[in-house]
Amino acid sequence: MTLDLVHPPKARLGDRIAVLSPSFAAAGAFPEVHEQAMRRLTEVTGLIPVEYPTTREVGAAPAARAADINAAFADPDIRGILAVVGGDDQIAVIPHLDADAARRDPKPFLGTSDNTNLHHWLWANGIASFYGGASQVHLGPGPSVDDIHVRSLRAALLTGEKLEITDPGESEDVGMHWADPRALDSFGERESTEPWSWSGPARSVTGRTWGGCLEVIEWILAAGRFPFTPHVLQGGVLVLETSEELLPARNVGWIVRSLGERGIIGAVDAILLARPPVSDHSRQPPAQDRARLRTEQRDAVVEVVDHYNPEAVVCVGIPFGHTRPQWILPHGGTMTVDGTEQRVFADYT
């Protein structure tokens, strides 16, 4: 791969971290969960959260949200940027961003879902980031912060070590509604996870990651915001996850097929597909139906990948993206997908 990426320096204990709402301002809509998240952020990292004008402003204009992102990059005292949550309109924020400010002082950016837009913008401007870490989802709710989230959060922001990505043994699609007082001290419905599914050749692949939320990637490509040929992803690791919109498996397969036609599937050497959410607050299928929906999505993706790149190592079921507990993963950093030992490692440099 020919595009050089900068890996932003790590923060130190006591440094300030910007907490922004580049998409939906859940911090303003559900402030109790947000405030608990801010306390826990300091407890588990030793960093001091700094909010900006639109962090709690529900319905803030895209230009105003972009101004906060630009201000965070321009402030030398800010040593990291954390998104509160995703949303559905960050694509309109991107044209207002100041690439020069980000390149002058690159900082670790963490976010998931709609923040795929920002990850791809940073990647296109030569800056690596970390996929995951929404404060409103993984820090604020529940009785505590999940161990794998704490470990990867600290690695991304502070320590930069290499970690093995493991299965915590349980997963929830959706927690308590943030308007429910129980959200502050209760997890959602958790169930036991299944073993990860492996396909492709039994070989080990180490490469740079690119990807994010599959639905958002489709928007980004439709907007013409991947300014490279797929060759720049050659030998890389594609990380894909699906959102709480609960797309049918055939729709997921169609989007992955488009990535195949674009040349992206054929360029990479490994693909990680997250454990997908298959329920939400209004749709809660029985356990056997949830298992079937996850299997259908896995099979749809594996079939497409096998058509476009049968030599790719594929692992399905990694806990990142829209389920909890969640690992934060490098975006533009290095991961190892070992199809021989069936293990996955991430480098948080």
Side-chain angles (χ1 to χ4, degrees):
M1 295 187 288
T2 58
L3 180 69
D4 292 329
L5 296 180
V6 171
H7 296 269
K10 300 303 182 188
R12 295 179 293 183
L13 295 180
D15 279 350
R16 293 151 62 89
I17 179 171
V19 179
L20 305 179
S21 295
S23 298
F24 172 52
F30 306 100
E32 293 83 3
V33 173
H34 172 68
E35 287 159 10
Q36 179 157 280
M38 296 302 94
R39 292 192 295 270
R40 289 176 173 175
L41 175 60
T42 298
E43 289 169 2
V44 301
T45 68
L47 300 176
I48 309 303
V50 178
E51 297 186 31
Y52 281 70
T54 65
T55 300
R56 301 196 191 203
E57 184 183 345
V58 178
R65 284 176 270 154
D68 285 352
I69 299 168
N70 293 335
F73 274 112
D75 187 343
D77 289 334
I78 295 295
R79 301 319 312 157
I81 300 173
L82 174 64
V84 168
V85 76
D88 61 14
D89 74 338
Q90 194 179 106
I91 197 166
V93 172
I94 300 302
H96 303 283
L97 295 179
D98 183 348
D100 289 337
R103 286 192 291 256
R104 279 194 300 269
D105 188 8
K107 300 162 186 182
F109 170 72
L110 285 70
T112 188
S113 190
D114 199 28
N115 292 288
T116 300
N117 284 284
L118 258 168
H119 288 294
H120 283 210
W121 178 81
L122 288 166
W123 201 95
N125 282 287
I127 302 170
S129 55
F130 294 96
Y131 191 81
S135 62
Q136 193 80 4
V137 179
H138 302 287
L139 292 175
S144 61
V145 185
D146 292 298
D147 175 68
I148 64 171
H149 195 74
V150 171
R151 291 172 61 201
S152 53
L153 180 68
R154 288 180 54 81
L157 288 172
L158 297 165
T159 58
E161 73 264 38
K162 184 177 181 181
L163 298 175
E164 181 172 5
I165 305 303
T166 56
D167 193 329
E170 63 178 7
S171 181
E172 65 181 51
D173 285 353
V174 61
M176 292 282 182
H177 194 286
W178 295 327
D180 188 329
R182 293 177 297 172
L184 294 172
D185 53 28
S186 300
F187 290 132
E189 180 183 353
R190 297 194 169 191
E191 59 186 334
S192 298
T193 56
E194 308 82 17
W196 299 345
S197 175
W198 291 81
S199 59
R203 64 184 179 118
S204 181
V205 169
T206 297
R208 193 169 63 194
T209 55
W210 181 87
C213 181
L214 192 62
E215 297 98 310
V216 180
I217 291 174
E218 183 181 37
W219 302 344
I220 292 168
L221 294 179
R225 291 185 181 160
F226 181 65
F228 309 102
T229 65
H231 177 74
V232 77
L233 302 177
Q234 200 71 41
V237 177
L238 182 62
V239 294
L240 298 176
E241 58 103 2
T242 51
S243 78
E244 73 279 11
E245 294 300 317
L246 311 185
L247 286 185
R250 66 175 187 173
N251 295 70
V252 173
W254 290 342
I255 300 174
V256 176
R257 183 177 65 189
S258 295
L259 297 183
E261 289 296 318
R262 184 73 166 76
I264 290 172
I265 300 297
V268 300
D269 281 353
I271 297 171
L272 298 179
L273 182 67
R275 177 184 176 90
V278 291
S279 60
D280 61 18
H281 287 297
S282 62
R283 292 167 287 183
Q284 298 180 354
Q288 62 183 18
D289 290 341
R290 296 197 299 271
R292 174 181 54 80
L293 292 168
R294 286 190 289 267
T295 298
E296 288 175 353
Q297 184 177 125
R298 178 201 67 194
D299 291 348
V301 172
V302 169
E303 180 180 359
V304 173
V305 172
D306 187 60
H307 174 75
Y308 288 98
N309 189 354
E311 293 305 308
V313 180
V314 182
C315 179
V316 180
I318 305 287
F320 72 96
H322 277 79
T323 57
R324 179 179 179 181
Q326 178 199 102
W327 286 96
I328 299 166
L329 300 181
H331 187 262
T334 301
M335 292 189 68
T336 296
V337 183
D338 190 337
T340 303
E341 298 291 332
Q342 297 191 343
R343 300 171 74 184
V344 178
F345 298 88
D347 188 341
Y348 291 85
T349 300

